[in-house]
Amino acid sequence: MGSRWHRWTAVALLVAAACTDGASSQPQSGADRIVTADRIAAPDNVRAWEVVYRSETITGVATTVTGWIAIPEARGEMPVMAWAHPSAGLGDDCAPSRAGGRTPFHFEHELEAGWVVVATDYEGLGGPGLHPYLVGESEARSIFDIVRAAHELDGRVGSDLLLWGFSQGGHAVLSAAALAPDLAPDLTVLGTVAVAPAVDLIGWPAEAIGNPQQGYIVAIVAGFAAAYDLDVADVLAPPAVALLDEVETSCGDPTLYAVAELPADQAFAASPAEIEPWATLLTENSPEFSPIGSPVLLLLGDRDELWPIDLLSIVVERMCAVDTPVATSIHL
């Protein structure tokens, strides 16, 4: 895993290097962005902090988000790599910064190369409210605001940003890249690397309902209901509604939740892809439909059961239709 990780990282850094013209503008000062910053262990010549920082929900309500920031002892302005984590669950205890997710030591190669590395837990994981699972704008705000928090810790943190994420994190970084012109005009997205990203949210329910993958769909319903003030009873059957407390506090793979084992008619009263406003929201949060102005690299494994290879051509076609510059790589 380690050699593959660093090989993918090398590709990502090449993408970033190829896409920057050397120009850089400083991010906004982000005054009072940081609530707390506690030093944590890091590789040699690197300072790292667990942070609580200020952000906003998709409705503009002030909130706080947790994560960590690692800054190398380099000279001059440093670019930023934002790591976005895969699905961890919906509960506060699922926050990777407190539940053993990737640490600064996993990014020693990038830090040695002079990159600042930031890793958000996302809104609602470790902070107030329920995590808005796979709500792209929420993920994007969490990413951009931890970058601004890093600049507040050290003024040498620059505005050039490489986005890197896996699974849910792939969804997060693609969403951030698409929303950057509106949400982060102070930052320059060099490129986006999405490994097996969560996409095609409108098509996924048809494949998932009736098998353990429906645990993901129930988690999406819970997260969307929290973000958009929707009634879960519109789409979930009573037995699934009765299990929502477990879903909203469980960590790990949603295929292991009790709702994943329910018969389809006990899990869903209707497919969220077939009734409004759920269907529209699922489409709007499928990032492949939104134009991205910077290069995108999709990385896939050929044995990923959640990301069938035949979906790749569909996603690439959708990205090309909105003029997103996209390349792909399949790892056997």
Side-chain angles (χ1 to χ4, degrees), residues 40-273:
I40 58 174
D44 291 342
N45 301 313
V46 174
R47 295 170 300 148
W49 299 261
E50 248 180 35
V51 295
V52 177
Y53 62 98
R54 292 184 174 87
S55 188
E56 287 186 350
T57 70
I58 65 170
T59 57
V61 176
T63 190
T64 56
V65 182
T66 58
W68 59 258
I69 294 167
I71 301 177
E73 294 287 359
R75 292 178 180 161
E77 187 173 273
M78 294 172 283
V80 182
M81 189 183 89
W83 162 251
H85 66 78
S87 299
L90 301 186
D92 284 348
D93 290 339
C94 310
S97 67
R98 68 167 67 173
R102 289 193 174 271
T103 73
F105 291 98
H106 290 100
F107 299 91
E108 190 168 2
H109 177 80
E110 294 77 17
L111 291 162
E112 286 179 354
W115 290 75
V116 174
V117 181
V118 301
T120 180
D121 288 331
Y122 308 140
E123 176 193 344
L125 293 181
L130 184 69
H131 172 46
Y133 183 56
L134 294 182
V135 174
E137 182 179 341
S138 170
E139 296 165 330
R141 288 181 180 277
S142 294
I143 290 170
F144 295 140
D145 286 335
I146 199 171
V147 175
R148 296 173 179 127
H151 180 73
E152 187 175 318
L153 281 172
D154 189 326
R156 298 172 304 160
V157 175
S159 61
D160 285 346
L161 175 62
L162 172 65
L163 298 165
W164 177 282
F166 171 53
S167 191
Q168 179 187 2
H171 178 274
V173 294
L174 290 172
S175 299
L179 291 168
D182 293 328
L183 297 184
D186 52 311
L187 302 175
T188 301
V189 176
L190 304 176
T192 301
V193 181
V195 185
V199 289
D200 192 29
L201 303 190
I202 192 67
W204 195 5
E207 299 293 329
I209 292 176
N211 65 63
Q213 283 192 32
Q214 71 184 12
Y216 284 98
I217 309 304
V218 174
I220 291 171
V221 169
F224 275 43
Y228 298 108
D229 193 24
L230 301 175
D231 186 351
V232 295
D234 290 343
V235 292
L236 296 185
V241 174
L243 291 170
L244 275 183
D245 282 347
E246 177 205 324
V247 172
E248 294 176 357
T249 56
S250 294
C251 300
D253 187 340
T255 62
L256 301 178
Y257 300 168
V259 292
E261 301 301 325
L262 290 174
D265 61 353
Q266 293 184 37
F268 291 91
S271 169

